Amino acid sequence: MFQIIILIALACISLSMLALLYRVIKGPSIPDRVIALDAMGINLIAVIALISILLDTYAFLEVILLLGILAFIGTIAFAKYLEKGEIIEYDRNK
Amino acid sequence: MSLLHWAILSPFLLAVIIPVLYKLFRRVHTGWFVLALPVVLFSYFFLKIPAVRQGQEIKETLKWIPSLNINFTTIIDGLSLLFALLITGIGSLVVLYSIFYLSKKKEQLHNFYVYLLLFMGAMLGVVLSDNLIVLYMFWEFTSLSSFLLIGYWHNRERSRYGAQKSMLITVFGGLSMLGAIVMLYIMGGTFSIRGLIAQAGTIVDHPLFLAAMLLVLLGAFTKSAQFPFHIWLPDAMEAPTPVSAYLHSATMVKAGIYLVARLSPLFAQSGVWLWLVGGIGLLTLLWGSFNAIRQTDLKGILAYSTVSQLGLIMSLLGVGAAAVHYPQLGNENIYIAATMAAIFHLINHATFKGSLFMMVGIVDHETGTRDIRKLGGLMSFMPITFTIAVIGTFSMAGLPPFNGFLSKEMFLESMVSVLSLDLFNMSTWGSLFPVLAWIASVFTFVYSMMVVFKTFTGKYQPEKLPKKPHEAPFGMLLSPIILALLVILFGLFPNMLTETLIKPAAASVLGDVLPADYELHIAFWHGATPALFMTIGIIAVGLLLYVLWPKWKGLYKAFPEKLSFTNLYDHALPAMENGSFNLVKLFMTGFIRNYLVYIFIFFIGSLGFTIYLKNAFNYSTIDTAPIGFYEVVLAAVIAIGAVSILFVKSRLTSIIVLGSVGYTVSLFFVLFRAPDLALTQLVVETVSTALFLLCFYHLPKKFRKEERLKFRGTNLLISLGVGTVVTLIALSAHSTKLFDTISKYYLDTAYTEAGGKNVVNVTLVDYRGLDTMFEITVLGIAAIGIYSMIKLRLTKRGGKKANENK
């Protein structure tokens, strides 16, 4: 029973990820895509958590944490890039 | 090291010292230092005559590379001794002549004598070596030193052309000879010539025999300027005259003759040898003598004359090879006489051609030109030179009482004897031999007369000559006088050569066929034989043709220069260069896209063909796991991502989609229970996507056109092909597992042996830590490389900074 619930949850998240992927590909502007990617990252966290339950293992909890950090850094970096045109402000000719 | 080895190597040693002597003693002509060596060597070889006459072979071995059967084995027998005497004897005379010919002040004498000594040593090595590899080494040495000597006046364009041409042709032949040597080694198991000849009976039936023979002949024919490889010899006349006299009349061009004579016992069993050596020789004789007449340069005439005389010797060797097929005839064997004639003419040619070249050198030196249209009436100015010229040319034409007459008689007799040869269809086509030989002899007579009479008689034309002619200094005349004396001496007393040199040499060429009590007697009057009538005919027709020369001059217009082989060579060489240039230009386009196309097509072709050829495709589902729902979903996500990269319009979108593909791969790792991989993949994917974005940002604005990939049919086909092939191979590889994996060992022992529970990490740092170390190195190198690429930007000369983003 529990397993079926998890499977249903996985299917839902997969559907939402497909929808997000559609947005990534289609998305008329770049912020759309970035937001979609960020959401996909969070969705991935959910997927990995659910799969960890299914596989009955602790091995993937680090992956979840890492994804959280990466999604955050990635989105911030993108945001800065869109805002300033540069991610790390450093003049290499100095 | 025996004395014989020292004798061969001494010219090389002297060549090392010569430049020092040249620098130390600027007042003495360097040639005087050189002269002693060939004289000493000549006396050394001269003293070997009695021993060799009694049939002894003097054999010395010096170990060189024993493990490869390559030893510096030298043997003196009749043939080697004859050649060694020619090389050292004429070598001495040429050195003497060159002392007076080459100016002490204007010429780079040390270069000249170093090259000449290298050549002399190499030539001695060729004729005295028994080991084929050593022979080949010295053979290439002669090519090389001849190249240097022809190009001696290297600031002249024609010299460089001649040197290059002779180098290309002779090295081509030399390399084919090397092929033959290797084949002979395969057949006989030894590099020793004597060892191979001992197995001649069995080698004949070997499948490689014919190929080896053809390659040997290619080597011999190119070196000896046989038809159609004779073209390098006339162009080699750009060399200084002593070089022409030495290399291109007496020694190097006879290396091919030596090779044919030396290997005759091995190959004469076959009819092809007889036909090729005899036929090509005769063709060369005819072609050379025919072309000599049209030349206007004296050295040109002598060059073609050398070609034709070499052809004569070669054809005699071919006919002489027939003797092997009639061993039962014994003393009555007429083909033995052909070999004898070849050797006799070899000696004669070296004497008279050497003197003629030196004579031409004198004429050139004293008048400033060698063009027979400008020369004439020099008889009263240069009486001694004229005498030498008469002796040399009359001997060349085959007139009594000179030695050329005797060998020409023997030559004609041998050619007539071909008529009674019933081997290998000789009886039908063999009748061409005496006819062609006779015609060629007529031509020989005509150009011989031209050399002497157009130069020394007729009208004196002082206005055309750059210098006022006068007799040469005595020192310059000395060598040709000695040679001319030898011409007369051998002519009058030919039998002093028969027992001492000719018979031992013939014994080396013929092997066991030559009866021990064979009597060779050369005399001017040998009865009213067909050869005598042929000679009378030659003189009569030749005189007629010489007198009527202006009338039939036009005949040569029917054979224009365009149809010559030199012309063919001149066109073939640039054509080959252009051809290879165009060929390379055809596929080396400079576009990486094209090279990738080649690589992938080769990949598809070779792998696909192998699968087809070996029938290797195999598909079984025994070992496969059931397919779950998530895998299907993830696979669909990856597939959609991968395909959409191809169709999206903006580069930014494709970078992002690529990132999502990478993330999905990490999800696959999670699904297939590989947490470490998943972690790494996520981080690496993030970083590389960021790097891609960095690259994207720095694209030049001007060319940042946002458009879809262009559709190309070939690209589609190739990519589909690569995908298909890889899929097929993966399926086949998975379906045919031959062994269990070794991973069970790691799983069982990771904790007990290495004290870690994470098997992946234990494998990375413990079981197979070496790989990890070098991966770390790779990353280190990449980091340093990136750092230095960014930091180190050299400025161009002139202060302009070269740091534009290109």
Side-chain angles (χ1 to χ4, degrees), chain B residues 682-740:
Chain B
L682 278 173
V683 180
V684 169
E685 192 59 43
T686 313
V687 172
S688 53
T689 308
L691 286 176
F692 270 123
L693 288 171
L694 188 72
C695 297
F696 172 76
Y697 170 70
H698 285 291
L699 278 182
K701 299 267 184 310
K702 200 172 167 187
F703 301 108
R704 200 188 284 183
K705 269 191 248 164
E706 296 281 312
E707 56 186 24
R708 285 201 176 86
L709 278 177
K710 276 189 197 132
F711 177 77
R712 285 172 201 268
T714 43
N715 289 6
L716 179 72
L717 279 178
I718 287 170
S719 52
L720 283 178
V722 171
T724 317
V725 164
V726 172
T727 312
L728 288 179
I729 290 174
L731 284 176
S732 310
H734 187 264
S735 304
T736 46
K737 273 191 184 151
L738 301 174
F739 310 102
D740 288 336

Side-chain angles (χ1 to χ4, degrees), chain B residues 525-540:
Chain B
W525 179 251
H526 41 79
T529 53
L532 187 69
F533 295 116
M534 282 168 90
T535 307
I536 294 169
I538 288 166
I539 296 172

Side-chain angles (χ1 to χ4, degrees), chain A residues 7 10 18 21 24-25 30 33 37 44 48 51 54-55 59-60 62-63 66-67 70 78 81 85 92-93, chain B residues 630 633 637 644 652-653 656-657 660 663 667 670-671 673-675 679 682-683 686 693 697 791 793 805:
Chain A
L7 284 179
L10 263 176
L18 277 178
L21 190 65
V24 169
I25 296 166
I30 291 177
R33 294 192 174 109
L37 269 181
L44 270 178
I48 291 166
I51 289 175
L54 263 186
L55 299 176
F60 297 109
E62 287 134 348
V63 180
L66 185 74
L67 261 177
L70 283 180
F78 251 116
Y81 170 73
R92 60 178 179 172
N93 286 329
Chain B
Y630 329 112
V633 173
V637 171
S644 59
L652 195 58
T653 318
I656 292 170
V657 176
S660 75
Y663 271 47
L667 211 56
V670 170
L671 204 59
R673 305 181 193 207
L679 280 172
L682 278 173
V683 180
T686 313
L693 288 171
Y697 170 70
K791 272 290 171 189
R793 276 168 296 167
N805 289 318

Side-chain angles (χ1 to χ4, degrees), chain A residues 10-56:
Chain A
L10 263 176
C12 291
I13 294 171
S14 303
L15 277 177
S16 93
M17 276 184 78
L18 277 178
L20 285 167
L21 190 65
Y22 171 79
R23 189 42 62 199
V24 169
I25 296 166
K26 183 76 187 174
S29 73
I30 291 177
D32 286 329
R33 294 192 174 109
V34 176
I35 296 294
L37 269 181
D38 191 45
M40 268 181 91
I42 306 303
N43 271 330
L44 270 178
I45 292 176
V47 168
I48 291 166
L50 287 170
I51 289 175
S52 295
I53 297 169
L54 263 186
L55 299 176
D56 197 16

Side-chain angles (χ1 to χ4, degrees), chain B residues 67-376:
Chain B
S67 57
L68 294 178
N69 277 335
I70 298 172
N71 289 315
F72 191 3
T73 309
T74 51
I75 290 188
I76 297 188
D77 64 355
L79 191 65
S80 324
L81 186 65
L82 168 68
F83 272 90
L85 285 173
L86 277 182
I87 292 160
T88 50
I90 298 194
S92 320
L93 295 176
V94 162
V95 171
L96 181 66
Y97 177 76
S98 71
I99 291 172
F100 293 94
Y101 186 84
L102 293 173
S103 153
K104 195 163 60 183
K105 288 172 195 153
K106 292 180 199 157
E107 303 288 351
Q108 301 279 309
L109 287 177
H110 55 312
N111 289 350
F112 181 81
Y113 286 110
V114 165
Y115 301 160
L116 198 72
L117 281 169
L118 285 181
F119 174 78
M120 194 182 288
M123 207 54 216
L124 280 177
V126 166
V127 297
L128 291 169
S129 296
D130 181 56
N131 190 293
L132 280 169
I133 293 288
V134 178
L135 188 146
Y136 171 72
M137 182 188 78
F138 283 119
W139 183 279
E140 290 300 4
F141 243 125
T142 62
S143 297
L144 197 68
S145 47
S146 154
F147 168 77
L148 292 170
L149 283 168
I150 297 169
Y152 174 65
W153 286 312
H154 49 79
N155 46 357
R156 294 187 191 169
E157 207 250 323
R158 293 292 305 170
S159 293
R160 296 198 302 271
Y161 169 78
Q164 186 204 32
K165 192 176 187 181
S166 71
M167 184 74 167
L168 284 177
I169 294 176
T170 52
V171 168
F172 162 71
L175 285 175
S176 13
M177 204 180 90
L178 182 64
I181 290 169
V182 172
M183 285 183 188
L184 285 173
Y185 185 73
I186 293 170
M187 289 190 277
T190 172
F191 283 125
S192 160
I193 297 175
R194 302 301 187 288
L196 284 167
I197 288 172
Q199 305 176 46
T202 50
I203 287 179
V204 171
D205 300 322
H206 199 281
L208 284 176
F209 178 78
L210 191 66
M213 180 167 90
L214 292 177
L215 288 177
V216 160
L217 281 183
L218 207 56
F221 285 172
T222 47
K223 199 74 161 181
S224 278
Q226 298 294 299
F227 186 88
F229 307 109
H230 62 275
I231 50 172
W232 65 267
L233 188 59
D235 283 305
M237 291 301 131
E238 295 300 322
T241 302
V243 172
S244 308
Y246 189 39
L247 271 70
H248 307 128
S249 70
T251 49
M252 187 178 94
V253 286
K254 293 199 170 111
I257 304 266
Y258 169 78
L259 192 73
V260 167
R262 176 56 81 203
L263 295 177
S264 201
L266 184 61
F267 289 114
Q269 304 285 338
S270 156
V272 183
W273 174 266
L274 211 154
W275 266 111
L276 272 179
V277 176
I280 297 280
L282 208 58
L283 199 60
T284 314
L285 167 64
L286 190 65
W287 186 250
S289 60
F290 178 70
N291 271 301
I293 300 178
R294 79 194 306 173
Q295 304 299 320
T296 51
D297 177 22
L298 278 175
K299 269 176 121 179
I301 301 181
L302 291 185
Y304 274 105
S305 143
T306 305
V307 168
S308 96
Q309 302 279 318
L310 291 170
L312 187 154
I313 299 170
M314 202 62 103
S315 67
L316 278 173
L317 283 175
V319 174
V324 178
H325 299 275
Y326 296 100
Q328 70 281 5
L329 287 178
N331 269 335
E332 301 298 309
N333 197 335
I334 41 176
Y335 306 107
I336 291 177
T339 307
M340 300 273 186
I343 293 160
F344 189 38
H345 195 73
L346 185 90
I347 304 170
N348 294 344
H349 178 249
T351 52
F352 70 67
K353 193 52 70 65
S355 74
L356 282 177
F357 266 111
M358 291 176 187
M359 178 279 287
V360 169
I362 291 169
V363 171
D364 187 16
H365 211 265
E366 305 307 333
T367 63
T369 182
R370 299 192 309 243
D371 195 327
I372 54 170
R373 288 167 300 189
K374 294 179 185 166
L375 295 166

